Amino acid sequence: MFKDIKNLFNGSVYGMTLVIPGVSATILAIILGFYDELLHTMNHFKENKRQNARYLILFLIGIAVGTVLFSRLITFFINSFSLPTMLFFAGLLAGIIPLTYTYAKGGAKKIAPREVVLAIAAMALLYLLSTGFSTPDINPTGTYGSINTMVIVFLLVAGVINGASLVIPGLSGAFILLIMGLYPLIVSTVSNIGSYLVDPRNLDLLFEIAVILAPFGIGALIGVLFMARIMEKLLRDYHKSVYAVILGLIVASLVTLFQNPIVYQSGTSAPAIIIGAILCAVGFIIAFLLGKKAK
């Protein structure tokens, strides 16, 4: 029973982070100690079908609850208190760096030159991706009324890319959605699930949700399953190198996070900066302490 509750909790935390731009759900999975178990369960499902099915079902329920509930909450905080909110998440990211650095250097006193190069390359790649290949945001209102084959195909492909990013520690699925211009659409659609549950007779709203999330969700599932196998092999054979890449991705995420207009949309007043600095420190301490526990 305790393990089931823990799986639900882990899934809800994972789901919450899926709607936070710049924060990697898999990094928090590593800190909380269930990332390796999650990869193993997905990749070796047939070894114990009943136990693994129970684990994944509870985890997915947790993700669904965390995503649906938190999508509204994070939308409210980002719209009303964007700078303090994003500074808190920046603190969480920064607090993960010491743990990631420890994994990247392995048992050595300092990180090896090869891992330094990998970290810099990953940092540069994510930074260039975020600044050079961003697309305009897709307006949810306009999209619902103009769904066609091209939009569905785009959502499917975007789902595959997003799903793969959810398995790679250091990459934020929400951040990838921002780059592709899909963040407002997906978060708004997920938020509408709560509205539909209040009024389940609203079939028009159900159609709007399904026509967006069905192709995106199918693509995400494909991406997750494909990348899970790759990540398990990479972590087994190239552990230090993988964490060096993750280290670079985290640093790049911190830099690019503050280049996004979302951070500043509620203003940059002195109280917002002061509160944000405090929350940033709180986020850092939380992640750092959890990281020490995970070592």
Side-chain angles (χ1 to χ4, degrees):
M1 178 64 71
F2 175 76
K3 188 174 182 179
D4 290 342
I5 295 174
K6 185 180 178 181
N7 287 343
L8 280 170
F9 173 77
N10 289 340
S12 64
V13 172
Y14 198 91
M16 289 178 185
T17 57
L18 295 183
V19 295
I20 305 170
V23 178
S24 170
T26 42
I27 284 292
L28 291 183
I30 290 171
I31 290 177
L32 292 175
F34 66 87
Y35 180 66
D36 289 340
E37 182 182 10
L38 180 60
L39 279 184
H40 186 272
T41 302
M42 289 190 292
N43 291 330
H44 305 278
F45 181 80
K46 293 181 180 180
E47 293 178 4
N48 192 335
K49 292 182 180 180
R50 179 175 294 182
Q51 180 177 327
N52 290 339
R54 183 184 182 91
Y55 175 91
L56 289 176
I57 289 171
L58 289 171
F59 188 76
L60 289 172
I61 291 173
I63 288 179
V65 172
T67 303
V68 172
L69 294 181
F70 202 64
S71 61
R72 289 196 166 198
L73 189 62
I74 190 62
T75 299
F76 168 76
F77 276 108
I78 288 179
N79 288 337
S80 304
F81 314 101
S82 58
L83 183 60
T85 301
M86 299 312 289
L87 279 170
F88 172 71
F89 294 133
L92 286 175
L93 274 176
I96 294 164
I97 290 176
L99 173 67
T100 311
Y101 179 80
T102 300
Y103 285 156
K105 71 178 183 179
K109 291 184 178 180
K110 61 180 181 179
I111 190 169
R114 184 182 69 173
E115 273 64 58
V116 172
V117 172
L118 286 172
I120 293 173
M123 183 169 54
L125 180 62
L126 183 59
Y127 180 80
L128 290 174
L129 180 66
S130 65
T131 57
F133 298 95
S134 59
T135 57
D137 287 340
I138 297 177
N139 188 333
T141 304
T143 304
Y144 293 140
S146 59
I147 293 295
N148 54 41
T149 304
M150 289 302 297
V151 173
I152 291 175
V153 171
F154 177 63
L155 287 169
L156 182 66
V157 173
V160 172
I161 297 171
N162 188 256
S165 74
L166 298 180
V167 186
I168 303 174
L171 275 185
S172 161
F175 182 71
I176 297 299
L177 288 177
L178 276 174
I179 292 174
M180 293 187 291
L182 282 172
Y183 183 76
L185 175 65
I186 298 301
V187 172
S188 174
T189 305
V190 171
S191 297
N192 284 339
I193 295 176
S195 300
Y196 173 73
L197 293 176
V198 174
D199 182 17
R201 293 175 296 179
N202 191 341
L203 297 182
D204 289 337
L205 181 58
L206 177 61
F207 173 77
E208 291 179 357
I209 294 170
V211 79
I212 298 297
L213 293 187
F216 183 81
I218 291 171
L221 180 61
I222 294 170
V224 165
L225 294 176
F226 175 75
M227 189 55 65
R229 290 190 174 277
I230 295 176
M231 283 305 304
E232 185 179 44
K233 180 174 176 57
L234 288 175
L235 284 169
R236 183 179 65 245
D237 299 338
Y238 307 100
H239 190 268
K240 291 193 297 182
S241 297
V242 169
Y243 276 98
V245 171
I246 294 169
L247 181 62
L249 293 175
I250 293 172
V251 174
S253 295
L254 276 170
V255 174
T256 56
L257 184 65
F258 291 98
Q259 294 181 329
N260 196 298
I262 285 180
V263 177
Y264 313 102
Q265 66 182 9
S266 67
T268 56
S269 63
I273 294 173
I274 294 171
I275 294 172
I278 295 171
L279 289 175
C280 183
V282 170
F284 181 91
I285 292 169
I286 290 173
F288 181 76
L289 293 177
L290 286 173
K292 287 185 69 175
K293 185 179 179 181
K295 288 181 182 180

